[in-house]
Amino acid sequence: MAQRFVRVQNPEGQIYYGLLQLSMKVQVLDAPPWLQGQPTDLILEPDDYEILAPCAPSKIIAVGKNYAEHAAEMGTEVPAEPLIFLKPPTSVIASLGKIHYPPQSQRVDYEGELALVIGDRAFNCTPKEAQMKIWGYTIANDVTARDLQKKDSQWTRAKGFDSFCPLGPWIVRELSPGARLQTFLNEEPTPVQSATIDQMVFPPDYLVSYISQIMTLLPGDIILTGTPVGVGPLNVGDRVRIEIEGIGRLENTVVVVDT
């Protein structure tokens, strides 16, 4: 099994990066792994930590319509160049966290995606250079208030609510180009989304290069690479699970926003 890099919090509120062992113990690192964090002698027992989102990005850059069949289901052509937008860091929650259904929306959708974790400062990179800036991979759900997305002239509100970027549960360093992404709802055995990540229109190295020519990417930043065909609505009480071969599963439930 590939090494799984996690970010955890102990009962005292201290946050650590670490390596998740098969025993579910966490070997704590002395810094984020993309900043050359090294193993320490501190070991956290399974009952002594909570898994957080695997990084705390300065920004989340997402890519729209990066699978041809998804662009078609949205009634549009594949963009000639990557269609990018931002999600705020406050939208990030961990696996098993709660997605809050906002009262402003009547239609909230799931969007299962592969997420790239940036490991080194990237500016104006070539695709070849950009490949070296991708430190690892995790799973994301680009939750979207679809009715607000259609209503607004831009996507900030629809994509930016707190809890609208579930991320995790951990990061792996390598991933097969043909790894399959699948999204499941509740107890249904048939996935509502299923595609291999090599079906992307613009591959990861191209995306990082393209984005780096617009803004500087910093270590720990996240790029969401787009969702395949099969997006659909979430309802309060639903449990949505996104799986990517070679990484694991990201699972969250939908609740009413606390008032």
Side-chain angles (χ1 to χ4, degrees):
M1 179 179 289
Q3 287 185 313
R4 298 172 293 175
F5 294 85
V6 293
R7 181 170 160 265
V8 299
Q9 185 173 34
N10 70 9
E12 290 72 41
Q14 295 169 302
I15 295 175
Y16 301 102
Y17 288 90
L19 273 169
L20 183 64
Q21 302 174 346
L22 290 177
S23 64
M24 299 304 290
K25 296 180 181 180
V26 171
Q27 183 174 24
V28 170
L29 305 177
D30 61 10
W34 44 88
L35 299 181
Q36 290 74 54
Q38 297 299 310
T40 70
D41 293 332
L42 178 59
I43 304 291
L44 299 179
E45 298 292 331
D47 293 336
D48 290 339
Y49 67 84
E50 173 188 0
I51 290 186
L52 305 176
C55 57
S58 75
K59 53 189 171 294
I60 303 145
I61 307 96
V63 180
K65 303 176 184 176
N66 198 27
Y67 288 79
E69 291 183 356
H70 171 61
E73 78 174 335
M74 300 303 288
T76 63
E77 299 291 332
V78 173
E81 55 186 355
L83 174 62
I84 66 171
F85 57 93
L86 294 170
K87 292 174 80 81
T90 47
S91 66
V92 173
I93 59 172
S95 186
L96 304 182
K98 309 298 185 185
I99 298 169
H100 293 163
Y101 202 115
Q104 297 95 327
S105 177
Q106 302 299 311
R107 169 70 185 260
V108 172
D109 284 9
Y110 57 81
E111 293 191 9
E113 308 202 9
L114 172 68
L116 313 178
V117 182
I118 299 300
D120 190 19
R121 183 180 183 275
F123 175 72
N124 204 23
C125 296
T126 66
K128 183 176 181 180
E129 292 168 337
Q131 184 61 49
M132 303 303 295
K133 306 294 185 179
I134 301 171
W135 192 87
Y137 307 88
T138 189
I139 307 171
N141 189 347
D142 177 21
V143 182
T144 303
R146 192 69 70 199
D147 52 347
L148 302 183
Q149 183 184 29
K150 293 178 179 179
K151 179 180 179 181
D152 295 348
S153 60
Q154 44 74 38
W155 299 355
T156 301
R157 180 165 65 140
K159 301 279 192 176
F161 286 98
D162 287 1
S163 79
F164 269 29
C165 189
L167 198 66
W170 41 68
I171 299 166
V172 300
R173 294 298 314 273
E174 297 181 356
L175 193 65
S176 167
R180 182 164 293 276
L181 181 158
Q182 296 187 104
T183 302
F184 298 85
L185 286 180
N186 301 313
E187 301 301 325
E188 293 297 323
T190 303
V192 290
Q193 291 183 291
S194 183
T196 54
I197 60 176
D198 57 6
Q199 293 176 254
M200 292 179 195
V201 177
F202 303 106
D205 56 351
Y206 185 93
L207 293 176
V208 173
S209 173
Y210 180 86
I211 294 167
S212 77
Q213 294 170 50
I214 301 163
M215 65 189 79
T216 300
L217 296 167
L218 301 176
D221 281 351
I222 290 289
I223 295 175
L224 309 187
T225 57
T227 196
V229 67
V231 299
L234 292 169
N235 297 300
V236 172
D238 280 350
R239 184 171 68 255
V240 56
R241 185 177 83 250
I242 302 163
E243 300 182 357
I244 298 181
E245 291 176 316
I247 302 179
R249 64 171 59 181
L250 171 71
E251 186 170 325
N252 301 89
T253 55
V254 184
V255 301
V256 176
V257 172
D258 295 330
T259 57

